[in-house]
Every structure is written in C-alpha cells, then in structure tokens.
C-alpha cells in the first residue's frame, strides 16, 4: 500500500488516499469471497465518480493508507459523518487523489457480531428483491440519504474553511446533491 502511494510522488504535497480490496473470511478463517467489492456488489472503486461517492462508499477503513495532508484536511471529522472511511474517501476525491489496489491485501473476518459486516446482496432478479439484506438496506434508505446530505453539507463547510483549491465542478456536484 505504501508503495502505491509512492507512485503519486508528483502529488506528494496533495492529500492522498490508498486503499485495496479485501478477502472475506468466516469465523474459522476460511475464504468466503476473494473480493469484498464483488461480494458486496460494489461498483468499481477505481471509477467511482463523486456524484455516486456522495451516497455510496467504496472504501473500507482497515485497508486505508494516507498521508499527513489528507489527515490534516479531514480532521477533525465532523459529527455529521457516519463512517470515517467514507469521509476520507470524500476528502481525497475533492481535495486530492485516491488510488485503489484491485487485489485483496487484508482479510476481513465476517462473524455474527460484526457492527457493519460484509453483506452479499444478489445482483438481479426477484431473489434480490426478497433478500433480507436488500430489504434491510431499502428500509434504512431514507435515513442513509439524510445522513449523506448532512455529510455533503459538512464537506462544503470543509471546502470553505480550507486553503486547498477545489474544482468548481466538484463544488457544484456537492451543492446539487
């Protein structure tokens, strides 16, 4: 992961975030899925546009590596932020750069007491509509959308307080959201 950030040497003074995929394992350490992103049905983290990142996180905190510049721009983390990894991804997207390594560098242990956990959601068909994980996701959608909007407002506040140049298009995207 550290080597991947070194690839961004030209941007070393900018906020940088590196993150990777994970292998999902069960309580006994047996592989459930060789790709957390595929298991969760996440879009390609390498091409996640800001428009979608505002409401759908593709970064898992335990895989993150970042530089001091990202830490300084992201902290303190606003109270409106639900997940720290999502906030880091948003800050890297708006203020700097992120780099995804499309290989599992971490084993993510899935067990009955995970606070968040990896949830396999069928991608299509009637089974997807009846899947308990999908129904739970659907039931919390209004809360999730409201939290995403508050987080976007906090991001706008951070942009206003920072001394870092931000693309006008990104500001307009966040305001539109």
């Amino acid at each position: 992961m550290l080597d991947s950030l070194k690839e961004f040497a030209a941007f070393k003074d900018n906020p940088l975030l590196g993150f990777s995929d994970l292998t999902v394992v069960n309580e006994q350490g047996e592989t459930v899925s060789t790709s957390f992103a595929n298991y969760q049905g996440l879009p390609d983290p390498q091409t996640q546009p800001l428009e979608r990142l505002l409401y759908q996180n593709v970064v898992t905190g335990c895989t993150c590596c970042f530089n001091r510049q990202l830490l300084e721009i992201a902290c303190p983390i606003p109270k409106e932020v639900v997940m720290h990894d999502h906030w880091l991804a948003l800050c890297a997207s708006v203020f700097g750069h992120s780099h995804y390594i499309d290989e599992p560098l971490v084993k993510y242990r899935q067990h009955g007491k995970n606070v968040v956990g990896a949830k396999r959601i069928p991608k299509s068909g009637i089974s997807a509509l009846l899947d308990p994980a999908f129904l739970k996701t659907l039931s919390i959608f209004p809360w999730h959308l409201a939290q995403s909007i508050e987080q976007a407002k906090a991001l706008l506040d951070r942009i206003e307080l920072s001394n870092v140049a931000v693309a006008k298009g990104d500001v307009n995207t966040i305001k539109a959201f």
Side-chain angles (χ1 to χ4, degrees):
M1 182 63 64
L2 203 50
D3 288 342
S4 78
L5 287 184
K6 290 178 184 175
E7 292 176 24
F8 284 96
F11 304 111
K12 68 178 181 177
D13 294 328
N14 296 327
L16 300 175
L17 171 69
F19 64 106
S20 73
D21 202 352
L22 307 93
T23 298
V24 181
V25 299
N26 64 17
E27 292 179 0
Q28 291 75 39
E30 300 161 335
T31 300
V32 174
S33 175
T34 56
S35 171
F36 180 88
N38 290 339
Y39 186 76
Q40 295 256 117
L42 295 174
D44 183 355
Q46 297 177 89
T47 59
Q48 181 79 322
L50 179 60
E51 296 84 14
R52 191 164 181 174
L53 185 60
L54 285 165
Y55 66 87
Q56 184 175 29
N57 186 21
V58 293
V59 175
T60 305
C62 63
T63 72
C64 289
C65 182
F66 47 89
N67 64 3
R68 174 147 313 275
Q69 289 83 351
L70 182 59
L71 183 66
E72 288 174 356
I73 201 83
C75 290
I77 297 175
K79 65 179 176 17
E80 295 84 2
V81 172
V82 177
M83 299 299 282
H84 65 284
D85 48 10
H86 194 185
W87 179 250
L88 290 173
L90 287 167
C91 288
S93 176
V94 170
F95 294 104
H97 305 277
S98 63
H99 178 67
Y100 175 69
I101 297 177
D102 191 13
E103 64 180 274
L105 300 180
V106 175
K107 289 184 179 181
Y108 184 90
R109 186 170 167 261
Q110 182 67 38
H111 54 82
K113 296 185 181 179
N114 286 84
V115 174
V116 177
K119 295 165 186 68
R120 180 179 203 100
I121 298 177
K123 293 187 180 195
S124 64
I126 192 71
S127 62
L129 298 175
L130 300 175
D131 184 88
F134 173 76
L135 293 173
K136 180 179 179 188
T137 299
L138 190 61
S139 72
I140 65 168
F141 178 76
W143 174 85
H144 177 76
L145 182 58
Q147 288 302 123
S148 296
I149 291 168
E150 292 305 311
Q151 183 169 263
K153 289 177 184 176
L155 187 57
L156 283 173
D157 290 344
R158 189 59 52 94
I159 290 168
E160 289 177 14
L161 294 173
S162 77
N163 294 327
V164 178
V166 174
K168 186 170 175 63
D170 286 350
V171 172
N172 290 339
T173 296
I174 299 165
K175 286 180 178 179
F177 179 75

